[in-house]
Amino acid sequence: PGHGVGRMRRALEAQGYETRKIVLATLTAVPADCALVISASPRTTFLPAESAALRQYLQQGGSAFFMFDLGFVLEPGLASLVEELGVRPEQKVVVDPLSHYSTDPEMVAVGGYDPHPITKPLSMTFFPGVRPLMPLQPAAGIQPTGLLASSRDSYARSVPPVESRQIRLQAAQANRAQQPEAPGRRLLGVAVEGELAGGSKPFRAVIIGDGDFASNSFFPYMSNSD
């Protein structure tokens, strides 16, 4: 229950939004009256048709908020869409010895933000087990803007995907997986605007490499709800 997003849903409803769950696997498209699609910590890899429906939705000028936890494996169509938006969620966890919540360096705390209307009202937030977003060259006509990043002392540590954890790894592979990268700021969230190829209207999207920050367990703490 702590990983649910009921508190976030109630907060949105308190601001006048109507929320409802959609199951894209049973639909041919995102409902036309949907103003914003929130993909909050999905656990199961999407079907190709679900990824195609999200692409079509953005091509038609939709808005999306993608919160992709470390354990979520992107279906190739969805991965391609996200890369066109200018980032690639990595199979790594960010460790921040300088800026973290409580005593856990994997609960990355963010107190300063890149300039953007979304981040103006924010103070400190924290992101448990956040994955970094590798910046890429976006598709033509698309503009990504960084929203938040870890501190200069942070580093990323590779984490085997779920299916690899179920088999015994060779010692050399395990050692390679544990070697951290050089310290430096890691991009954790971006806002994206523009028009996708084949689209008819400009879209907006936000991508964050974590969903736990908005879960019931962590939603009330610091500025996470904001």
Side-chain angles (χ1 to χ4, degrees), residues 2-226:
H3 290 287
V5 289
R7 281 176 162 165
M8 182 177 72
R9 175 179 57 80
R10 289 191 292 273
L12 289 170
E13 291 172 346
Q15 295 181 42
Y17 292 99
E18 177 188 344
T19 65
R20 70 175 186 266
K21 183 177 179 179
I22 60 173
V23 182
L24 286 177
T26 63
L27 302 172
T28 57
V30 174
D33 61 345
C34 182
L36 169 67
V37 169
I38 302 176
S39 182
S41 299
R43 301 297 183 200
T44 306
T45 299
F46 292 174
L47 297 170
E50 294 179 279
S51 300
L54 288 171
R55 174 182 288 275
Q56 182 184 38
Y57 173 70
L58 292 182
Q59 286 174 328
Q60 295 172 349
S63 298
F65 187 10
F66 296 126
M67 296 184 278
F68 293 149
D69 280 328
L70 180 60
F72 177 62
V73 178
L74 279 69
E75 184 270 331
L78 180 62
S80 176
L81 172 61
V82 172
E83 289 181 6
E84 288 178 41
L85 303 186
V87 293
R88 177 185 299 140
E90 298 191 87
Q91 186 58 37
K92 301 174 183 178
V93 64
V94 177
V95 182
D96 198 330
L98 177 65
S99 182
H100 54 268
Y101 181 72
S102 187
T103 59
D104 187 351
E106 290 188 9
M107 284 195 174
V108 178
V110 178
Y113 306 87
D114 295 334
H116 194 277
I118 291 176
T119 57
K120 280 183 179 179
L122 292 179
S123 55
M124 185 169 284
T125 53
F126 68 97
F127 301 84
V130 62
R131 69 198 301 178
L133 304 177
M134 178 186 291
L136 302 175
Q137 179 64 41
I142 294 178
Q143 179 61 51
T145 303
L147 293 177
L148 57 145
S150 54
S151 79
R152 65 182 184 276
D153 287 357
S154 68
Y155 60 89
R157 178 172 53 81
S158 295
V159 177
V162 174
E163 58 269 21
S164 297
R165 296 179 210 162
Q166 297 172 354
I167 60 175
R168 182 172 297 178
L169 297 174
Q170 298 293 329
Q173 292 176 318
N175 289 336
R176 283 198 299 270
Q178 293 300 317
Q179 291 177 356
E181 299 176 349
R185 296 179 82 226
R186 262 61 183 185
L187 182 66
L188 308 179
V190 295
V192 189
E193 296 182 83
E195 190 170 311
L196 281 167
S200 57
K201 296 179 181 178
F203 72 90
R204 284 181 172 176
V206 168
I207 306 168
I208 295 183
D210 178 50
D212 290 326
F213 77 97
S215 68
N216 294 334
S217 295
F218 302 113
F219 188 80
Y221 295 96
M222 300 172 73
S223 288
N224 279 25
S225 61
D226 294 331

